[in-house]
Structure formats: C-alpha cells, structure tokens
C-alpha cells in the first residue's frame, strides 16, 4: 500500500536513530526477565486496517483512552498457556503494536477514527508487571487495576517489549490519510490540481477501461464509485453512498484479484474479502464484547472511513451457510444499505455509523444489495489474464499513478450544491418524463439519478450541477439500464 510505504519513508528520513524506537532494538525485554527467548516481531510491508478503539477507563482524576494498533502477531505471555492476542481487526495482520494512552479530550475520539498522534514512547518493563507483583513503588499506575481479573491483566498489561505505550501529548483527527494531499485545506494546491482534472480523469478512464477489458461504461461507473462518500445523514438514510455491483465478472481468481490490486494501488485504504463459504461461516465480521477480558474484540468490518471494501462473490461456491454465515451476510447487507455496523455486546447490539465504499464483483446479480448494478461487457479476451493485467499495472508511469491517487482523494473532500435554477429544471424534467411514461422513472430512480449527477459533476471538478452534467447523467443511466434489461433477457432467472 502506497500510504504505508510513503509514511515509512518519511519517518526514516526525519527521525534520528538515537531517539527512535523500532521493534527490533535489542532491549532487555519482559521475556528475558523470565529467562525466555523470543524473536522480535517484524513489521509487515503493508498495513491495512484502522486501529481498534478499546474501552475508556478512569485513572485517578484523569481519564484515558487506550487504542490498540493492529499487529496480527500472537506471542505467548510468560506463565500463560494462551498466546498474546493483539486484537487487530484484519486476519493475518502483522507489524508492531502499541497502546496509545490519552489523558484528555478522549471523549472526542470515536470508534475507527483516523488519528495522527504525537507523544512519548515508553518501553518501561514495569508496565508489564501484573498486579500481584507490583509493590508500593507502582502506586502511580491505575488504581482500578486491582479489580481486574487475570484475563484482563493479560490483555491490558502485555509485555512492553512487544506492545510499547505511547503517552499522547498532541492528537489530530485526520479527514484522510493520503500523504500526497496537504493535511489542511490548501486552496492553491486544489486550484492547481483542478486545472488539470479533466486530463487526469481522461487518463484514469482509459486505464480503468483497459482493466475492465475494454468496457468504458463500467469504467465510468467505477470512477463514480471510487469518489463517493457519505456526506450527510437524513434520519437513518446515509446520503452519498454508492455501492457498485460489477456483475458478469469472469470466474477467474486471477481477474478479480488483479482488479483488487489495481484499486488497492490507487486508494489509500482497502481490504479484499473473498466471499467463500468457509470465510462466510468462519470469519467474525462484527466486533463482539468479551466480558471475561472486559474488552471489545475487533473484527473485519471495523474499518476506517472511506476504506474500499472489495467483496469478491465470484469465489462463492455451492453449500450451506450456517448461523454465523447468515449473520455475516446480514451484517454486510446492513453495512451496504445503512452504512452502519451493529456491534455485538451479547445482551444487546449497538449501532456504529461508518463510511465504507463497497464494491462487489459477481457472475450474476449479487445476493447482497447495491446502489448500482453494472453488467460487465468485455470487449477484450486476453489469452493470459494474469500477464495482461500485470503488464497494465507495470506500464503505468509513477507520476500519473500519483495523480490518480490525488484525484480520487481530493474529489471526496469537495463541497457540492445545486442552484435553484437547476433544481427547478430537474423537477420539470422529472414531471415531463413521468407524463410521457409513468413507469419510466420512480422517485427512487430520481434519487439515484441525482447521486450519479452529483458524482459525475465532482469527477470533472465541478462543485455545482450544470444542465450538461444532468443530461450526461441521464444518458449514462439509460445505457446502464438498457444493458441490464438485455442481460435479463439472456438470463431470465435473474431478478
């Protein structure tokens, strides 16, 4: 992932080796105190997935929030038969972890927020000592720890050599994590980029058209999907979401995996979930409260805002979904329809809003809901799919690739409005279409058309809807609907 790579390079350039902390430094660890040898953890090249937010607790007169960064390593604690679970959301995640401790304004931090943190890194072994081993000199530690069970102690007091503590001095909430964009609004940067946004869009459209085997209509809708975001909520309805279902995809793992690699390379955060029967029945998609350890156990759907979630339904084979599988499918459906995840607290469920871009690849219409169905119509049939898609990615110039990355992130942050004049024109147009053919367009169709028009305007750098973009949106929707109807005639069993 380019975000991790860029930040890692920046950190190496800025931080002095004498004051920086890396997991591989040869420090006396808690395990060494117990005469145990353990290899230091190695940082994974790619770090996808947000930190998991744990519960807040009181510490004297101050409060703190402990945030556990994903690590994915399970290491054994001294004297414990069970491994150390670092509670990362994504399966197989690896890399360093730390406990981030906030002493003020922790109430402002929400689950899955992206944060930039400045603080003091501590690897003091005393932080790893369990309560019964602490003496009076440890009185500065949490006064509430004396009430913790052994399971809680194991979770909350992991070895500092494996999980250092970061005591926060300053924290910034991030609206995006793209290192190619300025953190704060920079009008000169925006104006400069918008001057070439039309050419960048044309290049991206051409690139995605080749990736989608020559289907330019599907490429248009993929761009709209990639710049979509939930910009507001009306009661329970999230406004701005645009889940895309690309049906007609080849049942070829080389194609869907490489399509994901293409998307992963141009968006800041992404995750591929293969919807195999095994994954659906065995994965935990929804976070669940562990009352024994008194913590929230992270899960796959605990993702940061604007993460691209790629659901590959082409790998779904015949078989029976068990109870867990049905719950997971329901959770994905709720995420798509309402942009929320229901965290499981055993005795009740609590809704947490999210903002996740979901792309579904499938052979026929997906079993999951979507905002837009586009049936892929390949114009190319490469003899070797893997070589074709790999060559496309290699041929992309790094400078152009970075422009794609800026384009997709920047357009999500832009404001959008519709003038009264255009609003009146749209209303008149809707009435006229209903007059000519009452069945041709419904209120739901109008809403979808307005979403497409909004995204289409933003995709060319326009923050207001023009008549030209409205006409273009209607044209795209007509082409898409005609294609869908044609496919229904071919596959009469599809809804």
């Amino acid at each position: 992932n380019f975000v991790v790579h860029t930040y890692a390079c920046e950190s190496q350039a800025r931080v002095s080796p004498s004051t920086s902390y890396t997991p591989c430094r040869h420090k006396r660890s808690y395990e060494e105190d117990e005469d145990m040898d353990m290899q230091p953890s190695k940082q994974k090249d790619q770090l996808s997935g947000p930190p998991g937010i744990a519960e807040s607790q009181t510490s004297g007169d101050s409060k703190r929030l402990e945030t556990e960064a994903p690590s994915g390593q399970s290491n054994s604690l001294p004297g414990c038969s069970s491994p150390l679970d670092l509670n990362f959301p994504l399966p197989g995640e690896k890399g360093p972890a730390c406990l981030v401790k906030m002493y003020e304004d922790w109430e402002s931090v929400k689950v899955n927020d992206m944060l930039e943190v400045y603080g003091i890194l501590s690897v003091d072994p005393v932080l790893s000592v369990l309560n019964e081993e602490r003496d009076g000199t440890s009185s500065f530690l949490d006064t509430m720890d004396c009430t913790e069970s052994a399971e809680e102690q194991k979770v909350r007091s992991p070895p500092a050599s494996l999980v250092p503590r970061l005591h926060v001095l300053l924290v910034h909430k991030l609206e995006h994590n793209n290192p190619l964009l300025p953190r704060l609004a920079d009008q000169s940067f925006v104006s400069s980029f918008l001057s070439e946004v039309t050419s960048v869009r044309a290049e991206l459209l051409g690139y995605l058209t080749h990736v989608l085997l020559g289907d330019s209509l599907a490429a248009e809708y993929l761009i709209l999907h990639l710049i979509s975001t939930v910009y507001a909520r009306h009661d329970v309805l999230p406004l701005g979401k645009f889940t895309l279902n690309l049906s007609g995809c080849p049942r070829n793992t080389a194609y869907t995996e490489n399509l994901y690699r293409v998307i992963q390379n141009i968006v800041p955060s992404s995750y591929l979930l293969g919807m195999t029967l095994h994954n659906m029945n065995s994965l935990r998609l929804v976070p669940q409260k562990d009352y024994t350890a008194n913590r929230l156990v992270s899960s796959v759907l605990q993702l940061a805002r604007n993460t691209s979630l790629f659901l590959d339904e082409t790998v779904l084979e015949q078989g029976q979904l068990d109870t867990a599988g049905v719950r997971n499918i329901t959770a994905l459906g709720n995420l798509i329809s309402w942009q929320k995840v229901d965290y499981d607290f055993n005795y009740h469920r609590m809704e947490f809003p999210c903002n996740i871009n979901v792309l579904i690849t499938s052979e026929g219409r997906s079993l999951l809901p979507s905002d837009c169905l586009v049936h892929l119509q390949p114009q190319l049939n490469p003899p070797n799919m893997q070589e074709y898609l790999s060559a496309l990615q290699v041929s992309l110039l790094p400078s152009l690739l970075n422009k794609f990355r800026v384009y997709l992130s920047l357009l999500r942050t832009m404001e959008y409005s519709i003038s009264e004049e255009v609003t009146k024109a749209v209303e008149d147009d809707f009435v006229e279409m209903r007059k000519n053919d009452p069945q041709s367009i419904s209120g739901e169709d109008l809403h979808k058309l307005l979403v497409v028009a909004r995204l289409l305007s933003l995709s060319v750098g326009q923050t207001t809807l023009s008549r030209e973009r409205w006409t273009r949106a209607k044209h795209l929707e007509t082409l898409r609907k005609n294609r869908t109807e044609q496919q229904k005639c071919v596959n009469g069993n599809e809804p």
Side-chain angles (χ1 to χ4, degrees):
N1 183 279
F2 76 92
V3 173
V4 175
H5 177 73
T6 303
Y7 280 126
C9 291
E10 288 181 358
S11 297
Q12 291 172 2
R14 288 195 308 235
V15 179
S16 169
S18 62
T19 58
S20 64
Y21 168 79
T22 59
C24 295
R25 289 176 65 185
H26 298 291
K27 278 188 170 286
R28 184 169 175 267
S29 68
Y30 181 74
E31 291 76 27
E32 288 170 344
D33 290 341
E34 299 290 327
D35 296 321
M36 295 181 66
D37 294 326
M38 182 169 290
Q39 293 295 324
S41 61
K42 296 181 179 179
Q43 184 172 1
K44 188 178 178 184
D45 291 334
Q46 295 184 3
L47 181 64
S48 59
I53 306 296
E55 305 90 282
S56 61
Q57 62 183 36
T58 303
S59 175
D61 294 331
S62 64
K63 293 183 179 179
R64 77 183 183 200
L65 182 74
E66 295 193 357
T67 303
E68 183 169 300
S71 170
Q73 291 222 199
S74 293
N75 298 285
S76 295
L77 274 172
C80 297
S81 57
S82 59
L84 171 62
D85 180 9
L86 295 175
N87 200 24
F88 48 87
L90 303 179
E93 192 61 51
K94 295 180 181 179
C98 72
L99 288 175
V100 179
K101 296 178 180 284
M102 294 181 64
Y103 297 91
E104 58 182 9
D105 296 331
W106 59 267
E107 299 98 332
S108 64
V109 178
K110 297 180 180 179
V111 173
N112 302 329
D113 275 351
M114 291 186 292
L115 306 176
E116 181 179 48
V117 175
Y118 299 86
I120 300 172
L121 189 69
S122 173
V123 291
D124 191 341
V126 73
L127 297 173
S128 307
V129 181
L130 298 181
N131 272 358
E132 61 268 20
E133 297 173 343
R134 292 173 182 166
D135 54 25
T137 61
S138 303
S139 60
F140 65 89
L141 295 173
D142 289 354
T143 57
M144 288 187 65
D145 285 353
C146 59
T147 64
E148 292 180 348
S149 66
E151 191 70 23
E152 286 181 80
Q153 292 169 355
K154 184 177 70 173
V155 168
R156 292 187 177 276
S157 302
S161 58
L162 293 175
V163 186
R165 278 55 165 174
L166 182 60
H167 301 274
V168 174
L169 299 176
L170 184 65
V171 60
H172 293 148
K173 274 191 182 182
L174 300 179
E175 291 301 315
H176 66 83
N177 62 335
N178 189 333
L180 302 176
L181 264 65
R183 296 292 175 82
L184 302 176
D186 185 339
Q187 195 55 46
S188 61
F189 176 87
V190 174
S191 300
S192 174
F193 188 82
L194 289 182
S195 66
E196 56 176 341
V197 71
T198 303
S199 62
V200 174
R201 186 192 192 281
E203 292 281 2
L204 179 59
L205 179 63
Y207 175 62
L208 293 179
T209 297
H210 283 93
V211 170
L212 295 172
L213 307 177
D215 190 341
S216 59
L217 181 64
E220 285 273 10
Y221 277 93
L222 183 55
I223 289 178
L224 303 187
H225 162 76
L226 291 174
I227 65 172
S228 65
T229 186
V230 176
Y231 62 87
R233 290 180 185 268
H234 182 68
D235 294 329
V236 297
L237 182 64
L239 305 179
K241 71 183 183 74
F242 195 66
T243 297
L244 178 63
N245 176 199
L246 276 179
S247 65
C249 292
R251 191 176 176 82
N252 181 336
T253 54
Y255 180 74
T256 51
E257 286 179 2
N258 277 277
L259 176 58
Y260 169 71
R261 300 301 170 204
V262 167
I263 293 174
Q264 181 188 40
N265 204 26
I266 57 178
V267 299
S269 305
S270 62
Y271 183 67
L272 169 63
L273 177 59
M275 292 180 62
T276 62
L277 198 63
H278 174 75
N279 281 347
M280 291 297 96
N281 287 337
S282 63
L283 285 179
R284 183 180 64 246
L285 297 188
V286 173
Q288 185 175 26
K289 180 65 180 285
D290 179 355
Y291 285 92
T292 303
N294 194 26
R295 69 164 177 179
L296 191 65
V297 181
S298 297
S299 76
V300 172
L301 294 185
Q302 200 170 340
L303 299 171
R305 60 175 294 161
N306 290 138
T307 297
S308 290
L309 178 59
F310 189 106
L311 301 179
D312 185 6
E313 202 177 294
T314 65
V315 297
L316 183 62
E317 61 273 68
Q318 288 186 346
Q320 185 70 37
L321 285 172
D322 59 18
T323 304
V326 172
R327 280 200 303 264
N328 284 335
I329 293 294
T330 302
L332 290 172
N334 287 336
L335 167 66
I336 292 168
S337 299
W338 309 110
Q339 285 293 306
K340 69 181 180 73
V341 178
D342 295 326
Y343 286 30
D344 185 1
F345 287 85
N346 293 347
Y347 307 107
H348 69 283
R349 292 180 179 271
M350 185 177 294
E351 294 182 2
F352 284 85
C354 58
N355 188 354
I356 298 172
N357 286 29
V358 184
L359 174 64
I360 311 166
T361 55
S362 58
E363 289 185 277
R365 181 190 289 267
S366 172
L367 58 87
L368 294 169
S370 66
D371 299 305
C372 182
L373 170 66
V374 178
H375 189 82
L376 192 65
Q377 286 190 347
Q379 307 299 310
L380 305 171
N381 186 22
N384 189 315
M385 189 71 73
Q386 178 72 44
E387 288 184 3
Y388 171 76
L389 294 171
S390 297
L392 275 178
Q393 296 177 64
V394 171
S395 65
L396 195 60
L397 293 175
S399 58
L400 186 57
L401 179 59
N402 281 339
K403 288 182 178 180
F404 291 168
R405 293 163 172 169
V406 171
Y407 173 88
L408 295 177
S409 294
L410 180 62
L411 296 184
R412 276 179 177 166
T413 66
M414 295 176 63
E415 298 291 335
Y416 173 83
S417 62
I418 304 178
S419 66
E420 292 184 5
E421 179 187 354
V422 175
T423 300
K424 182 65 167 58
V426 169
E427 291 174 352
D428 293 343
D429 204 4
F430 175 66
V431 171
E432 192 65 28
M433 286 187 286
R434 291 278 296 176
K435 185 186 299 183
N436 294 334
D437 183 2
Q439 303 300 319
S440 64
I441 185 170
S442 64
E444 184 179 346
D445 292 330
L446 177 63
H447 173 74
K448 184 181 297 184
L449 194 53
L450 286 169
V451 172
V452 171
R454 174 182 180 273
L455 296 172
L456 195 59
S457 299
L458 291 174
S459 74
V460 293
Q462 296 178 1
T463 56
T464 59
L465 179 61
S466 64
R467 291 177 181 270
E468 178 188 358
R469 291 302 150 196
W470 173 249
T471 302
R472 174 64 175 163
K474 291 195 298 180
H475 177 65
L476 286 178
E477 277 295 275
T478 299
L479 293 177
R480 184 188 68 82
K481 288 181 177 179
N482 288 343
R483 180 182 292 190
T484 304
E485 290 301 320
Q486 291 173 5
Q487 192 59 31
K488 282 183 180 179
C489 295
V490 175
N491 299 330
N493 59 330
E494 282 202 5

